[in-house]
């Protein structure tokens, strides 16, 4: 058979994996629509997919995963640097050769009875100088069709790789070989969570995943390649791979601004990325909702590319009021995972903004009514809280015209944030690049009682990269700081810390959020222009009481005062907690961050 590539490294690697995993068949993906349709139909026939009602959701499918296989498994995620200390205190580490030996034994014969798919893909627009080619080998057709939406997948990526190009090998198996004549299940995986592995070998530029078929565990271009491996490469090569949305904001004067924003998971990144501003004349367009690769351009500014091609968004909570543009992106050609199936062949999830159906099939494939209770007596969820939609970015009604620009877009501002019910103001501009890095390093989110059984527990998630940094976090901070030396700091984005999640002592939200966040973004733009009513405070540059127009929002002057208050006692505690969070980094914590702590302490002491 004529091979679709002459790349010897790739051919040799596929050969080696075929010998190890012993699949029944090998199939090279071309990325065509026909291939996608055929695989989807095969999955409908095998029970993995349910085709949704074409009159309601044309070209859409629903998959239900195994109950053990519903989310990223951080405790089974490994960064396998040769030396433990290079993975750092925030990553699970295994010695590379030891884990390879352990995993090779698991991979031996693991694809019996299955097809091995070779999935060439490009992270970043094909041919962009910043794009990286990966090749995923997987025994999951679900992975193939999701990768076709999330990446530029198929022959075009192989052609870009060429005969001598290099690629990042990504090996994935659901870990469920079939004996002769054994009938397959709808969602093959390794049910025991302790036997799933998401392994990264940064020095080899290689990813091995075993036992899970869901999300970031299996779609290896996303968190594994575009964040963990890419962050490692970025440090070595002098660029940045960040867990950030990228948005374009256009003012009524038609001036465009580009913003990168990093928030921990579940803080509304996808909502902000395609927000509908309530401020008249302002427009938000989306460039990406999850990952941002940046390089310094010839003019000294940071240029950002979204390496992805689609959205893998959390469905529950997505509604016409929280994110109308996401709702419009998923009307067609979308794969839904672990949402509920309505009797008329459509999908439903909690907080979708439409009444619950009287009857549905829930994410477990069981009968569901709004009265259904779980074993613990709580109302049973129809959709899993981590249910997802996989939708082409091109279907977003506000995708920016330049979203595939191979050179990227020049970033004007970075936002960091998280869910912080107290202390942290609505918006706070950093005094300097280093102060901005200090803010990013201090990002974190407070958990809710519902999620973890303990309310008000703050989890630091520096730069929202805690689960995604492929090396030592202290070195990562140093890498961020180094950009203040790599280019003229005046050319770097201005840095802001935002907090849409402030509450009153009684637990009421102080800020309406969603489209009203455009009011904060306007102030950010004013600051970029060197304007905007602002006051220098011990913690940073805050808007004056009337700098942010809240007319018509219901936010009172007293609310605004609270949202912008410098809570000196709260900040003293905050600083102690930040210092505590630095401890694990030891000597690899850059001195510049300690200096920022000391400077802030001194400013607070005088307040
Ligand atoms: C995601 C995450 O899935 O950050 O994007 O968890
Ligand atoms: Mn994410």
């Amino acid at each position: 058979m004529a091979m679709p590539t002459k790349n010897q490294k790739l051919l040799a690697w596929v050969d080696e994996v075929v010998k190890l995993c012993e699949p029944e068949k090998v199939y090279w993906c071309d990325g065509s629509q026909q291939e996608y349709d055929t695989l989807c139909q095969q999955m409908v026939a095998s029970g993995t997919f349910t085709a949704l009602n074409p009159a309601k959701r044309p070209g859409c499918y629903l998959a239900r995963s195994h109950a053990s296989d519903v989310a990223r498994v951080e405790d089974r995620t490994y960064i396998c640097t040769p030396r433990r200390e290079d993975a750092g205190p925030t990553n699970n580490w295994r010695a590379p050769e030891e884990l390879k030996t352990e995993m090779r034994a698991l991979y031996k014969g693991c694809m019996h009875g299955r097809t091995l798919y070779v999935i060439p893909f490009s992270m970043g627009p094909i041919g962009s100088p910043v794009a990286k080619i990966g090749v995923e080998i997987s025994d999951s057709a679900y992975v193939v069709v999701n990768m076709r939406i999330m990446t530029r997948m198929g022959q075009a990526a192989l052609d870009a790789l060429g005969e001598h190009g290099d690629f990042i090998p990504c090996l994935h198996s659901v870990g469920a070989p079939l004996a002769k004549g054994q009938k397959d299940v709808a969602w093959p995986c390794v049910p025991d969570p302790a036997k799933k592995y998401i392994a990264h070998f940064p020095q080899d530029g290689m990813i091995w995943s075993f036992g899970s078929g869901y999300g970031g565990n299996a779609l290896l271009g996303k968190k594994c390649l575009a964040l963990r491996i890419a962050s490692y490469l970025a440090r070595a090569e002098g660029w940045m791979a960040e867990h950030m949305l990228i948005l374009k904001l256009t003012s009524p004067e038609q001036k465009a601004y580009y913003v990168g924003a990093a928030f921990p998971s579940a803080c509304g990144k996808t909502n902000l990325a395609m927000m509908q501003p309530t401020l008249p004349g302002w427009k938000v367009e989306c460039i990406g909702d999850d990952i941002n690769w940046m390089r310094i351009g010839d003019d000294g500014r940071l240029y950002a590319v979204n390496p992805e091609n689609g959205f893998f968004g959390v469905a529950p909570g997505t509604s016409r009021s929280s994110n109308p543009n996401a709702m419009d992106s998923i009307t067609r050609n979308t794969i839904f995972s672990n949402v509920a199936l309505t009797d008329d062949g459509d999908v439903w999830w909690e907080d979708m903004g439409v009444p619950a159906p009287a009857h549905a099939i829930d994410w477990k494939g069981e009968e569901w009514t709004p009265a259904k209770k779980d074993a613990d007596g709580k109302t049973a969820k129809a959709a899993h809280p981590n249910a997802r939609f996989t939708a082409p970015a091109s279907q977003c009604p506000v995708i920016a015209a330049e979203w595939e620009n191979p050179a990227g877009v020049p970033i004007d501002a970075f936002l960091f944030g998280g869910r912080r019910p107290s202390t942290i103001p609505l918006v706070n501009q950093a005094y300097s690049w280093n102060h901005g890095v200090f803010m990013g390093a201090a990002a974190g989110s407070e958990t809710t009682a519902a999620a973890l059984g303990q309310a008000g527990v703050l989890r630091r998630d520096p730069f929202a990269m805690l689960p995604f940094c492929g090396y030592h976090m202290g070195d990562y901070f140093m890498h961020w700081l180094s950009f203040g030396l790599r280019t003229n700091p005046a050319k770097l984005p201005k840095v802001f810390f935002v907090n849409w999640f402030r509450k009153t002592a009684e637990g009421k939200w102080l800020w309406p959020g969603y489209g009203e966040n455009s009011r904060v973004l306007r102030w950010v733009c004013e600051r970029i222009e060197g304007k905007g009513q602002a006051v220098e405070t011990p913690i940073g540059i805050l808007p004056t009481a009337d700098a942010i127009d809240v007319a018509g929002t219901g936010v009172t002057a007293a609310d605004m005062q609270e949202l912008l208050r410098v809570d000196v006692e709260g900040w003293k505690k905050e600083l102690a907690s930040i210092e505590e969070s630095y401890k694990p980094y030891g000597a690899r914590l850059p001195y510049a961050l300690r200096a920022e702590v000391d400077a802030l302490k001194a400013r607070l002491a005088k307040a």
Side-chain angles (χ1 to χ4, degrees):
M1 193 188 100
M3 285 309 204
T5 179
K6 292 199 174 92
N7 188 293
Q8 286 308 314
K9 177 184 162 185
L10 176 53
L11 292 169
W13 179 59
V14 171
D15 241 20
E16 183 194 320
V17 175
V18 168
K19 288 202 180 86
L20 178 65
C21 299
E22 300 168 359
E24 190 177 296
K25 281 188 263 178
V26 176
Y27 177 83
W28 288 72
C29 300
D30 62 19
S32 65
Q33 184 67 40
Q34 189 191 6
E35 170 186 276
Y36 177 88
D37 294 340
T38 305
L39 288 172
C40 289
Q41 277 148 24
Q42 280 173 13
M43 283 190 279
V44 171
S46 70
T48 300
F49 267 7
T50 302
L52 297 176
N53 180 346
K56 303 252 169 201
R57 303 247 169 211
C60 292
Y61 299 92
L62 163 66
R64 289 184 206 103
S65 77
H66 188 271
S68 72
D69 204 22
V70 292
R72 288 186 288 102
V73 282
E74 285 174 19
D75 57 332
R76 303 295 306 163
T77 299
Y78 298 98
I79 301 294
C80 305
T81 45
R83 297 187 315 169
R84 178 192 285 267
E85 58 268 34
D86 291 335
T90 59
N91 284 314
N92 298 313
W93 176 84
R94 291 283 307 269
E97 290 316 315
E98 186 192 285
L99 187 60
K100 283 183 198 168
T101 303
E102 189 174 322
M103 289 187 75
R104 263 193 213 102
L106 296 168
Y107 282 126
K108 186 69 201 160
C110 72
M111 295 190 187
H112 281 179
R114 300 196 179 277
T115 300
L116 177 157
Y117 298 97
V118 183
I119 313 168
F121 61 96
S122 173
M123 296 314 288
I126 296 226
S128 158
V130 309
K132 298 268 180 207
I133 302 287
V135 181
E136 177 161 354
I137 288 182
S138 174
D139 52 7
S140 161
Y142 172 89
V143 165
V144 176
V145 293
N146 275 274
M147 285 292 284
R148 181 168 182 267
I149 297 176
M150 293 307 298
T151 72
R152 282 90 176 172
M153 186 276 265
Q155 190 62 44
L158 265 192
D159 293 345
L161 175 64
E163 200 171 331
H164 303 291
D166 206 2
F167 64 95
I168 296 164
C170 311
L171 175 54
H172 169 253
S173 172
V174 294
L178 292 167
K180 264 219 153 33
Q182 184 184 341
K183 195 174 160 359
D184 203 1
V185 294
W187 189 274
C189 68
V190 177
D192 182 352
K195 299 220 168 71
K196 301 185 203 266
Y197 295 78
I198 320 296
H200 306 73
F201 303 92
Q203 268 80 359
D204 303 325
M206 181 170 102
I207 301 158
W208 282 7
S209 165
F210 185 87
S212 167
Y214 201 81
N217 299 335
L219 313 177
L220 301 184
K222 192 175 180 61
K223 302 299 188 181
C224 297
L225 192 161
L227 286 176
R228 297 194 191 97
I229 294 293
S231 62
Y232 178 91
L233 293 175
R235 178 173 172 241
E237 298 168 1
W239 53 286
M240 293 173 132
E242 299 301 325
H243 188 205
M244 281 186 175
L245 67 87
I246 312 166
L247 66 79
K248 176 186 181 185
L249 191 65
T250 307
S251 72
E253 295 76 35
Q254 300 307 310
K255 174 134 196 219
Y257 301 88
Y258 297 98
V259 177
F263 306 134
S265 303
C267 289
K269 279 214 329 285
T270 304
N271 295 346
L272 185 64
M274 46 186 93
M275 175 238 273
Q276 255 176 22
T278 51
L279 272 183
W282 287 79
K283 187 160 80 179
V284 166
E285 290 164 285
C286 178
I287 293 185
D289 79 327
D290 198 39
I291 301 179
N292 176 355
W293 285 0
M294 286 170 287
R295 279 170 202 268
I296 297 173
D298 293 341
D299 60 359
R301 300 186 67 192
L302 265 183
Y303 282 78
V305 163
N306 168 15
E308 299 194 281
N309 192 47
F311 307 119
F312 186 67
V314 176
T318 305
S319 68
R320 292 223 73 82
S321 62
S322 71
N323 194 338
N325 288 316
M327 292 301 275
D328 288 338
S329 305
I330 61 177
T331 53
R332 59 202 187 282
N333 309 324
T334 297
I335 299 167
F336 295 91
S337 302
N338 286 347
V339 302
L341 176 68
T342 61
D343 291 349
D344 58 358
D346 202 355
V347 287
W348 187 82
W349 48 79
E350 279 70 22
D351 299 318
M352 192 188 197
V354 295
H359 173 265
I361 304 296
D362 67 15
W363 71 274
K364 295 177 184 153
E366 294 167 1
E367 304 287 327
W368 182 91
T369 66
K372 185 172 175 180
K373 299 275 185 280
D374 279 331
D376 59 8
K378 292 202 183 117
T379 301
K381 296 228 186 291
H384 186 277
N386 193 38
R388 297 281 177 152
F389 53 78
T390 317
S394 59
Q395 291 188 181
C396 180
V398 295
I399 198 78
E402 59 273 57
W403 83 280
E404 299 196 273
N405 184 343
V409 295
I411 296 290
D412 296 291
F414 285 135
L415 309 183
F416 298 112
R419 291 178 182 270
R420 298 298 306 268
S422 65
T423 313
I424 311 299
L426 178 63
V427 56
N428 180 9
Q429 184 185 353
Y431 280 119
S432 62
W433 180 251
N434 283 9
H435 186 211
V437 176
F438 164 81
M439 285 181 170
S445 226
E446 232 157 77
T447 57
T448 61
L452 274 171
Q454 1 161 227
V457 178
L458 175 64
R459 305 190 141 194
R460 295 277 167 206
D461 185 352
F463 295 82
M465 282 289 279
L466 193 65
F468 307 121
C469 184
Y471 60 100
H472 193 295
M473 192 58 91
D475 297 348
Y476 170 88
F477 296 155
M478 194 64 185
H479 185 53
W480 263 84
L481 290 162
S482 76
F483 280 78
L485 303 173
R486 285 170 195 266
T487 188
N488 175 352
K491 305 254 177 145
L492 285 167
K494 305 273 177 284
V495 182
F496 300 81
F497 203 99
V498 297
N499 179 20
W500 321 133
F501 300 94
R502 268 299 279 279
K503 286 183 169 175
T504 62
E506 296 73 41
K508 181 180 132 302
W509 296 115
L510 274 164
W511 181 250
Y514 302 112
E516 304 294 8
N517 293 336
S518 56
R519 295 169 191 274
V520 174
L521 294 184
R522 174 163 73 181
W523 185 75
V524 165
C525 293
E526 287 167 359
R527 295 301 299 160
I528 293 166
E529 296 295 346
K531 299 182 195 142
Q533 299 295 312
V535 37
E536 295 195 355
T537 80
I539 59 171
I541 304 168
L542 299 191
T544 55
D546 54 0
I548 293 179
D549 169 16
V550 290
T553 59
V555 176
T556 64
D559 291 341
M560 213 50 203
Q561 205 180 5
E562 180 57 21
L563 282 162
L564 299 176
R565 182 165 71 92
V566 179
D567 170 3
V568 174
E569 288 317 303
W571 270 93
K572 285 183 179 160
K573 290 200 194 101
E574 175 73 6
L575 259 184
S577 146
I578 291 171
E579 285 193 280
E580 190 63 32
S581 77
Y582 286 169
K583 279 191 182 150
Y585 307 128
R588 279 164 99 148
L589 182 86
Y591 172 74
L593 291 185
R594 288 191 203 284
E596 288 298 325
V597 169
D598 291 343
L600 180 46
K601 257 188 204 162
R603 294 195 299 265
L604 282 172
K606 281 197 242 138

